[in-house]
């Protein structure tokens, strides 16, 4: 008798460590057959792509989130009988949100009131991330489960979508971001020692079965070139099974979490995920995402399912689940995320958003720069001990490149602002050609091409010449001098200037 594909898939979905997956695979002879494992993208040399993406686990997670948003937008286009590649399709992600999902005054979450019930409801039903497994480094690493109620894929299409590195399935669709078909594989090298990643999906129309596969690093000697591979049945096809709906999450007591389920869409589970030791806490998990997503385009719900059940703090906490909203860095800075029954949420750290400037060049496209003015007390994730980044270059909300507080102080000449603003450089409207010239494939660095260098020069020039920033610099410098004059001595001032000459710029004529 062959493997019970449904039972094995559900068992893998419930596993909470790499060791548990090891045990499940060891129990079934089909997993031991090398012919039942195929190399990712159909080639033995896939390591050059899987390893050349995000340089840390937090950044890699945002690639999965981008794919989830794309999937939801695609589903809503199909439901409205709109061809995603046709002339009537939205031309940007923001237009797609406004037309296909929810009217938001420009398709931006930040334009909604933080108490709008739609944010929580939509996220809970459509875009959820569950954290399970270990809570501390001494106990191991956590598992991350991503569940979306989106487009989904039929089992026969897995190999040209989830399991392809170069098909470019979405490059002709103007309103999605994941056009290069690479991001999802970037998480593999952060999945424990064996790279276990479970993919379960069903097409949104629910006309076919669920398909699933487990990915891994091919077993071998330690000095072998790593090869990512995925499981297929003995017939060479993606395993499949029938089920009306799936519940991707369960509580610390291994009970089913009933408040989120999918009857189609995609579930991805990452085992023993290395997001970084300082990010193992729940707050840390969200902070690992903050710097990499200026905005999420659609709202997400992050569920920490590792909590001790507690009565009197809402239905989720009674189950041992701590639910938190995640809408991206800009929303977090400008709005409080506080909700009923939620503890330890920081108030908004930003005071307001201001326009810095913009430029348009024929061969580059249009770039708009804004800034969020911060309160004097920085949020924990932006304090210098945790992050020095202050300038975030983003395409459709996803950060492509970061610059530090030193850049703001020394290069741009705004020493008083290095800890009082976050600069957002919106490069979403670069031309397609410029996009490929300016950014490296890892979505973290600039290319030192002619277009890349010109882009940086124009951004720096626009920031340096911004009248809004010059006025803000003068205002904050004056406030800091008044504060210092009331509390500190001239001797201390001299010591500070001796240590950091850039502070002299704050003194002005005073």
């Amino acid at each position: 008798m062959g493997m019970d594909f449904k039972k094995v898939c559900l068992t893998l979905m419930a596993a909470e460590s790499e060791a548990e997956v090891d045990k499940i695979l060891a129990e079934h002879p089909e997993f031991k057959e090398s012919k039942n494992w195929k190399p990712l993208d159909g080639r033995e040399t896939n390591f050059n792509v899987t390893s050349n993406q995000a340089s840390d686990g937090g950044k890699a997670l945002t690639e999965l989130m981008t794919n989830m948003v794309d999937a939801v937008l695609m589903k809503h286009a199909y439901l409205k009988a709109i061809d995603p590649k046709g002339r009537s399709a939205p031309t940007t992600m923001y237009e797609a949100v406004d037309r296909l999902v929810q009217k938001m005054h420009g398709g931006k979450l930040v334009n909604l009131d933080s108490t709008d019930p739609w944010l929580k409801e939509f996220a809970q039903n459509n875009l959820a991330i569950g954290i399970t497994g270990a809570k501390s480094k001494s106990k191991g690493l956590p598992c991350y489960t991503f569940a979306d109620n989106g487009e989904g894929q039929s089992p026969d299409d897995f190999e040209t979508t989830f399991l392809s590195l170069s098909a470019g399935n979405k490059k002709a669709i103007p309103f999605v971001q994941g056009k290069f078909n690479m991001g999802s594989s970037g998480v593999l090298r952060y999945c424990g020692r064996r790279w276990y990643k479970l993919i379960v999906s069903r097409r949104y129309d629910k006309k076919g079965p669920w398909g699933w596969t487990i990915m891994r690093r091919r077993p071998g000697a330690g000095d072998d070139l790593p090869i990512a591979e995925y499981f297929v049945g003995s017939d060479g096809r993606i395993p499949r099974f029938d089920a009306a709906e799936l519940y991707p999450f369960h509580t610390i007591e291994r009970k089913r979490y009933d408040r989120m389920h999918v009857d189609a869409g995609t579930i991805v589970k990452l085992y023993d995920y290395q997001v970084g030791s300082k990010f193992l806490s729940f707050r840390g998990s969200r902070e690992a995402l903050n710097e990499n997503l200026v905005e999420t385009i659609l709202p997400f719900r992050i569920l920490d399912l590792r909590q001790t059940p507690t009565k009197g703090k809402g239905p989720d906490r009674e189950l041992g689940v701590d639910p938190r909203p995640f809408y991206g860095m800009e929303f977090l800075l400008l709005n409080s995320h506080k909700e009923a029954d939620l503890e330890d949420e920081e108030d908004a750290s930003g005071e307001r958003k201001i326009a810095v400037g913009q430029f348009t060049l024929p061969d580059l496209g249009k770039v708009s720069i804004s800034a969020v003015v911060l309160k004097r007390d920085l949020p924990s994730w932006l304090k210098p001990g945790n992050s020095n980044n202050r300038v975030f270059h983003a395409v459709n909300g996803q950060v492509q490149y970061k610059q530090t507080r030193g850049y703001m102080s020394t290069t741009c000449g705004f020493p008083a602002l290095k800890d009082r603003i976050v600069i957002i450089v919106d490069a979403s409207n670069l031309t397609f050609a410029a996009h490929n010239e300016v950014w490296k494939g890892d979505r973290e660095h600039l290319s030192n091409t002619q277009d890349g260098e010109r882009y940086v020069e124009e951004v720096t020039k626009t920031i340096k010449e911004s009248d809004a920033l010059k006025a803000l610099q003068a205002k904050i410098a004056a406030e800091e001098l008044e504060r210092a004059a009331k509390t500190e001595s001239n001797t201390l001032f001299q010591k500070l200037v001796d240590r950091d000459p850039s502070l002299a710029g704050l003194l002005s004529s005073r």
Side-chain angles (χ1 to χ4, degrees):
M1 185 177 177
M3 180 189 295
D4 183 336
F5 284 148
K6 180 179 180 179
K7 182 178 180 180
V8 173
C9 178
L10 296 181
T11 305
L12 286 168
M13 203 185 303
E16 291 308 343
S17 68
E18 183 174 85
E20 286 188 43
V21 177
D22 279 343
K23 185 177 179 181
I24 295 167
L25 267 56
E27 291 172 349
H28 300 277
E30 289 89 344
F31 288 122
K32 299 174 185 176
E33 294 283 347
S34 59
K35 67 181 180 64
N36 291 343
W37 294 89
K38 292 185 178 182
L40 180 64
D41 204 40
R43 52 192 172 108
E44 304 284 315
T45 55
N46 53 51
F47 182 66
N48 66 333
V49 176
T50 59
S51 65
N52 191 30
Q53 295 184 47
S55 62
D56 66 73
K59 174 65 175 175
L61 290 180
T62 65
E63 299 285 357
L64 276 177
M65 296 172 73
T66 295
N67 288 344
M68 293 168 74
V69 170
D70 286 352
V72 171
L73 293 178
M74 291 284 285
K75 171 188 172 179
H76 281 262
Y78 290 132
L79 290 176
K80 287 181 168 55
I82 294 174
D83 178 1
K85 299 179 182 179
R87 291 186 177 182
S88 63
T91 57
T92 68
M93 295 188 86
Y94 302 113
E95 182 188 346
V97 172
D98 260 348
R99 283 181 53 191
L100 306 178
V101 184
Q102 173 81 357
K103 194 71 175 174
M104 292 190 208
H105 317 293
K108 286 180 172 283
L109 291 180
V110 75
N111 291 332
L112 292 183
D113 189 290
S114 60
T115 61
D116 190 323
W118 179 84
L119 288 165
K120 178 179 177 180
E121 181 181 347
F122 185 87
Q124 185 82 21
N125 293 326
N126 293 278
L127 293 164
I129 302 170
I131 308 172
T132 52
K135 291 182 69 175
S136 64
K137 195 171 183 179
S138 62
K139 295 182 179 179
L141 293 167
C143 297
Y144 282 76
T145 302
F146 295 75
D148 71 67
N149 187 11
E151 174 189 14
Q153 300 295 337
S154 66
D156 291 332
D157 291 332
F158 270 39
E159 292 179 331
T160 56
T161 53
F162 299 126
L163 305 171
S164 168
L165 295 173
S166 53
N169 300 292
K170 296 185 283 189
K171 63 185 177 183
I173 302 171
F175 61 85
V176 298
Q177 185 174 343
K179 299 176 187 289
F180 305 102
N181 217 51
M182 292 172 16
S184 179
S185 63
V187 298
L188 284 173
R189 63 191 312 209
Y190 303 105
C191 293
R193 300 286 184 185
R194 308 196 196 284
W195 296 9
Y196 288 140
K197 172 185 174 184
L198 178 69
I199 303 174
V200 188
S201 191
R202 184 190 194 191
R203 195 70 177 159
Y204 76 95
D205 57 17
K206 301 185 281 292
K207 291 181 179 178
W210 291 91
W212 69 271
T213 188
I214 182 90
M215 300 179 70
R216 71 176 185 184
R217 176 176 175 166
R218 178 179 294 172
D223 55 357
D224 288 346
L225 185 68
I227 298 171
E229 58 183 14
Y230 61 93
F231 176 73
V232 294
S234 56
D235 59 359
R237 300 200 305 161
I238 292 295
R240 58 203 70 197
F241 64 90
D242 292 315
E245 56 195 20
L246 296 179
Y247 291 80
F249 308 118
H250 60 259
T251 69
I252 196 170
E253 297 175 338
R254 301 281 178 142
K255 294 178 181 177
R256 188 173 77 180
Y257 178 70
D258 288 331
R259 305 195 74 199
M260 199 283 179
H261 71 275
V262 291
D263 53 15
T266 301
I267 300 166
V268 174
K269 185 157 190 174
L270 314 175
Y271 303 89
D272 282 16
Y273 194 76
Q274 177 63 37
V275 73
S277 57
K278 72 176 183 177
F279 298 128
L280 290 182
S281 69
F282 190 25
R283 179 178 291 244
S285 296
R286 288 193 301 162
E287 290 177 356
L289 303 174
N290 282 337
E291 285 198 13
N292 296 305
L293 282 171
V294 168
E295 55 182 324
T296 60
I297 307 299
L298 290 172
F300 278 78
R301 201 78 176 156
I302 304 183
L303 308 168
D304 187 346
L305 298 115
R306 304 170 295 178
Q307 302 299 315
T308 302
T310 306
K311 292 188 178 296
K313 294 186 177 180
D316 278 305
R317 290 308 298 270
E318 287 191 14
L319 298 171
V321 180
D322 190 359
R324 302 284 168 153
F326 186 79
Y327 311 139
M329 178 203 305
E330 185 178 11
F331 195 105
L332 177 66
L333 291 174
L334 291 171
N335 299 277
S336 170
H337 276 193
K338 289 185 174 180
E339 296 177 0
D341 304 323
L342 293 190
E343 302 171 344
D344 305 322
E345 283 289 1
E346 294 179 342
D347 287 316
S349 303
E351 295 180 344
R352 64 190 185 282
K353 185 177 178 180
I354 61 174
V356 172
Q358 63 181 35
F359 62 87
T360 303
L361 296 172
D363 51 345
L364 282 181
K366 180 180 178 180
V367 176
S368 302
I369 306 174
S370 59
V372 176
V373 182
L374 303 175
K375 298 174 183 176
R376 197 169 189 272
D377 186 17
L378 290 174
S380 58
W381 61 278
L382 270 179
K383 288 181 178 176
N386 293 323
S387 174
N388 284 317
N389 295 316
R390 296 294 182 268
V391 181
F392 301 88
H393 300 248
V395 174
N396 291 332
Q398 188 177 19
V399 174
Q400 310 284 313
Y401 178 60
K402 306 169 189 175
Q403 291 171 291
T404 66
R405 55 207 292 271
Y407 166 79
M408 284 303 302
S409 178
T410 306
T411 304
C412 297
F414 294 116
L417 302 185
K418 63 183 179 181
D419 287 325
R420 292 299 300 273
I421 59 170
V422 161
I423 297 282
I424 298 170
V425 183
D426 184 0
S428 303
N429 293 314
L430 288 178
T431 66
F432 188 77
H435 181 89
N436 292 318
E437 286 291 316
V438 171
W439 314 117
K440 286 190 173 180
D442 61 5
R443 301 170 5 244
E444 292 185 71
H445 298 91
L446 282 161
S447 294
N448 291 322
T449 58
Q450 291 183 5
D451 285 344
E453 290 186 356
R454 190 177 184 197
Y455 168 84
V456 173
E457 290 169 359
E458 289 295 329
V459 168
T460 301
K461 177 183 176 184
T462 303
I463 292 175
K464 290 176 69 172
E465 295 179 355
S466 169
D467 290 335
L469 292 185
K470 290 176 182 177
L472 185 62
Q473 161 93 0
K475 177 177 180 292
I476 289 179
E479 290 174 355
E480 291 301 308
L481 281 174
E482 289 297 331
R483 179 187 294 269
K486 293 177 180 177
T487 59
E488 309 295 354
S489 67
N490 288 334
T491 303
L492 178 58
F493 256 119
Q494 188 61 55
K495 288 180 180 179
L496 291 172
V497 172
D498 289 343
R499 183 177 300 173
D500 183 359
S502 69
L503 292 177
L506 300 181
L507 299 177
S508 186
S509 60
R510 301 177 65 180

